[in-house]
Amino acid sequence: METPPQTSRLRKNVMIGLRREMKGLGKSLKGWGVAMHRTSVKASKEKVLSKGLLLECRNKSKLGIPEALALLEKDPTPKIQWKFYGLFSAFLLYVFGHRGGVFQNMTIQEVMETKRSSTENTFLINIKTQGTNEMYGPAQIVLMEEEEYEWALRFLRLKDQLPGGLGAKFFFFVSTPNPCKNLNNYFQEAWKAMGLPGCPTFTDVRTSIASHAKFTHAPENRLKLCKFMCHDVRMADKFYVTNLTAK
């Protein structure tokens, strides 16, 4: 004699609750898998540049920028223009760790509207168009010396002699109305020309600055730096900060 099929004694609302719980667990496991994949990809691409190497980049680019501008004044050609782009973006990137899009979107008008600080001998450039402007406002670049701001003005005095310069809107312009999309390549070429090891990207420098900020700065200073880089501490930990090495 066959055993009659068993029917569930659980109430309908309990079954609905269980289904919801199982669905939620499935989603969390899926998210865990994505997080683990992101971590493994991030680890495989870890390139934290030492503070000493970043400082060397700053010092060498600071020496190279006036030389590139002098060459550009004598021979205003795209080849030297790209050299200046690489050195100037390297100098700005070392100090601020901004995304490449911030430099691409910096307009000539924003540079020309820059004013000297009333309390400090610095020049502040506000870049309104950047990926997280709705949350963090304009990205900022601070030129600490008058000489550094003069580099930008010297280049703009030459722009009309370069292809695309007459109608240019963006500071890093090309022969079309669009901003320069090859800044990362020009930065890498400048890095190599300065005799520095490796071939880092904009993201590598941003990751390095975010990591050093986490492990060597007081929390309040790290928070200020994160805001200046147009992200918060949580986003920095998720996408940029890497784990400490034994060294």
Side-chain angles (χ1 to χ4, degrees):
M1 183 175 180
E2 294 183 358
T3 304
Q6 298 293 318
T7 58
S8 174
R9 296 183 180 181
L10 295 176
R11 296 191 301 274
K12 183 177 180 181
N13 60 338
V14 174
M15 292 295 295
I16 292 174
L18 285 172
R19 281 197 294 269
R20 286 176 179 171
E21 287 292 329
M22 294 300 293
K23 188 175 181 181
L25 286 171
K27 287 183 178 179
S28 66
L29 287 173
K30 183 179 179 181
W32 179 82
V34 171
M36 290 298 295
H37 175 70
R38 183 189 296 122
T39 300
S40 63
V41 171
K42 183 179 172 183
S44 68
K45 295 181 178 180
E46 283 183 2
K47 294 180 182 178
V48 178
L49 308 172
S50 70
K51 296 180 197 175
L53 191 56
L54 291 171
L55 182 59
E56 190 175 358
C57 170
R58 177 188 185 276
N59 292 337
K60 289 188 173 182
S61 60
K62 188 170 184 177
L63 290 174
I65 290 169
E67 296 175 0
L69 285 169
L71 290 173
L72 198 59
E73 288 166 346
K74 294 179 181 178
D75 184 23
T77 58
K79 182 178 180 180
I80 304 176
Q81 179 184 0
W82 310 147
K83 180 179 181 179
F84 167 74
Y85 281 7
L87 288 166
F88 197 43
S89 63
F91 180 80
L92 297 178
L93 181 65
Y94 156 80
V95 180
F96 308 107
H98 283 312
R99 301 174 183 86
V102 170
F103 303 126
Q104 289 177 12
N105 293 329
M106 183 169 70
T107 66
I108 293 173
Q109 182 179 353
E110 288 167 342
V111 173
M112 296 302 295
E113 289 176 350
T114 299
K115 295 182 180 180
R116 187 196 302 265
S117 169
S118 58
T119 56
E120 304 288 341
N121 188 30
T122 58
F123 298 83
L124 179 65
I125 302 174
N126 289 303
I127 303 169
K128 300 178 181 64
T129 304
Q130 58 95 10
T132 55
N133 60 344
E134 291 185 3
M135 185 175 296
Y136 300 103
Q140 295 182 312
I141 290 176
V142 181
L143 300 177
M144 304 301 293
E145 301 174 6
E146 188 168 355
E147 176 193 19
E148 297 171 6
Y149 184 53
E150 181 60 25
W151 294 337
L153 298 182
R154 280 179 69 183
F155 173 69
L156 292 180
R157 287 195 287 268
L158 296 167
K159 75 177 184 67
D160 291 352
Q161 303 177 50
L162 295 163
L166 279 172
K169 172 186 175 183
F170 299 97
F171 181 87
F172 293 104
F173 63 86
V174 290
S175 58
T176 66
N178 301 316
C180 179
K181 299 293 181 64
N182 292 327
L183 276 181
N184 190 75
N185 294 338
Y186 299 144
F187 159 69
Q188 290 178 318
E189 290 173 8
W191 181 276
K192 182 179 179 181
M194 289 186 285
L196 301 176
C199 188
T201 64
F202 279 13
T203 301
D204 293 332
V205 176
R206 184 173 173 85
T207 296
S208 302
I209 292 174
S211 299
H212 293 313
K214 177 176 181 177
F215 296 120
T216 62
H217 285 281
E220 60 271 18
N221 290 332
R222 186 196 178 203
L223 180 61
K224 291 177 185 177
L225 184 59
C226 282
K227 288 182 177 179
F228 196 82
M229 295 172 70
C230 299
H231 61 202
D232 58 25
V233 173
R234 182 181 62 85
M235 296 301 289
D237 285 341
K238 184 175 182 180
F239 293 105
Y240 295 106
V241 173
T242 62
N243 294 322
L244 286 172
T245 63
K247 182 178 180 180

